[in-house]
Amino acid sequence: MNMRVAVFTEPHRGASYDDQLRFARLAEDGGFEAFLRADHYQAMGDEPALPGPTDAWLTLAALARETSRIRLGTLVTSATFRPPGPLAVMVAQVDQMSGGRVELGIGAGWYAREHVSYGIPFPGTSERFDRLAEQLEVITGLWGTPSGGTFSYTGDHYRLTDCPALPKPVQTPGPPVIVGGRGPKRTPELAARYADEFNVPFTSVEQTAEAYDRVREAGHRVDRSGSGRRPLTLSAGIVVAIGRTDADARRRAAPLHVKSALPPEDPVVGSPEQLVDRIGEFAAIGTSRVHLRLIDLNDLDHLELIAAEVLPRLDGTP
């Protein structure tokens, strides 16, 4: 099978910048294509998650200067956290700092608790998706504005007037945009219109296949011909807890049983062979990239095990 493999991390569970740097460098050395991180300011359960949150884009900017090959991005940035103009500047700058290795995963935002805790406005679901749609139009519009031109936009939630649309990212027409989720209507439409990658997070192969069908159907209704966007990549998230022994796998899976605000997931708990098999099942439904969610950023042996026992069995891995 020909599969691209990224690691996905959740620093809001408790990780310093140094923890993330060590993990990203090891992932780079191990041959993974990308290091992506969640964009959250608070843990999902009752644990203290020390030392506290780290900002996603501040972290990725630093990692851009301390890594050399691995791609870097968010899965996903919350559209409630940052206005689209400044976010486009941040991502373009980090793309420059990394030499063109950045990806922007962006979603509507969903975790009310962190918004209340940090004083971030949290409108209702319909408005959040309206804002996400406008953010996608603004961000891709800014990156796609020719050098020397300006960009203006008037929406219900954002207005930009004669923006110089600078700085320009290294990648053209801009860093790859990832839109994902399990929503049946607006998420597939937004992915078909604006995204380079559609991601289905951490659910079964069957449910992922159904989501792919929805985004393919949306693609028939959306004209991307003038956007310059890349052909749409289909990706899947997989929660991973594997080990050299059953006891190792069970130990790594223990955090999955802790009460959390996350929706139900379909993890792979077991051996490296079981993970290879699951990736093969995803490949059979059209997946060309997987994001492996590893829970503990201090468990470097877990990352090394996947690099040694899984990646060599997936053709096309860097």
Side-chain angles (χ1 to χ4, degrees):
M1 84 188 79
N2 188 356
M3 185 66 68
R4 299 159 56 196
V5 184
V7 293
F8 169 66
T9 63
E10 298 179 309
H12 57 273
R13 289 178 177 266
S16 67
Y17 170 73
D18 287 337
D19 294 332
Q20 294 171 73
L21 173 60
R22 182 173 61 248
F23 202 86
R25 282 177 166 169
L26 188 61
E28 181 170 73
D29 293 342
F32 292 89
E33 179 189 70
F35 170 93
L36 292 96
R37 56 154 288 167
D39 186 10
H40 284 293
Y41 288 124
Q42 196 162 350
M44 306 300 171
D46 296 327
E47 69 273 16
L50 298 176
T54 51
D55 181 82
W57 285 102
L58 184 61
T59 298
L60 294 172
L63 292 177
R65 306 303 287 180
E66 298 198 79
T67 58
S68 60
R69 180 196 61 80
I70 199 163
R71 298 188 64 79
L72 303 165
T74 51
L75 199 69
V76 294
T77 280
S78 175
T80 56
F81 289 171
R82 306 166 188 89
L87 179 58
V89 171
M90 291 180 201
V91 179
Q93 182 178 355
V94 180
D95 198 47
Q96 290 181 355
M97 294 169 70
S98 68
R101 293 184 284 126
V102 161
E103 305 180 16
L104 171 63
I106 186 168
W110 64 273
Y111 190 35
R113 177 180 166 186
E114 65 187 336
H115 292 75
V116 173
S117 294
Y118 285 91
I120 303 168
F122 188 69
T125 302
S126 179
E127 182 178 332
R128 294 201 310 277
F129 271 91
D130 290 344
R131 287 178 176 271
L132 173 61
E134 290 191 19
Q135 288 219 0
L136 285 163
E137 188 167 356
V138 169
I139 291 167
T140 56
L142 286 168
W143 290 341
T145 298
S147 296
T150 60
F151 177 83
S152 296
Y153 176 83
T154 300
D156 293 333
H157 303 286
Y158 305 103
R159 173 174 290 188
L160 290 78
T161 304
D162 295 334
C163 178
L166 296 172
K168 294 300 183 191
V170 172
Q171 299 174 90
T172 56
V177 173
I178 306 170
V179 171
R182 307 180 192 181
K185 294 181 180 180
R186 299 198 67 180
T187 298
E189 291 285 346
L190 290 173
R193 187 174 301 278
Y194 296 108
D196 302 285
E197 178 176 331
F198 175 64
N199 176 259
V200 183
F202 316 121
T203 189
S204 68
V205 175
E206 292 76 15
Q207 288 180 313
T208 301
E210 292 170 1
Y212 288 170
D213 287 342
R214 290 192 292 268
V215 81
R216 290 187 184 106
E217 291 171 4
H220 295 317
R221 298 190 296 270
V222 172
D223 181 10
R224 291 167 59 105
S225 59
S227 69
R229 308 310 300 175
R230 305 161 183 87
L232 190 64
T233 293
L234 300 177
S235 71
I238 308 175
V239 181
V240 176
I242 65 170
R244 293 177 175 84
T245 66
D246 290 342
D248 284 344
R250 288 194 299 270
R251 171 177 55 81
R252 288 177 171 137
L256 301 177
H257 305 297
V258 176
K259 183 179 179 181
S260 170
L262 292 169
E265 299 169 329
D266 188 22
V268 175
V269 180
S271 66
E273 290 74 19
Q274 286 174 275
L275 178 55
V276 172
D277 289 345
R278 178 69 63 83
I279 293 173
E281 293 172 1
F282 276 112
I285 63 168
T287 305
S288 59
R289 190 187 202 195
V290 290
H291 300 270
L292 306 182
R293 192 179 105 200
L294 306 182
I295 296 169
D296 186 356
L297 278 157
N298 291 310
D299 188 357
L300 302 183
D301 180 67
H302 199 192
L303 186 66
E304 291 175 327
L305 175 62
I306 296 169
E309 301 293 335
V310 175
L311 293 192
R313 299 173 64 178
L314 307 175
D315 294 338
T317 301

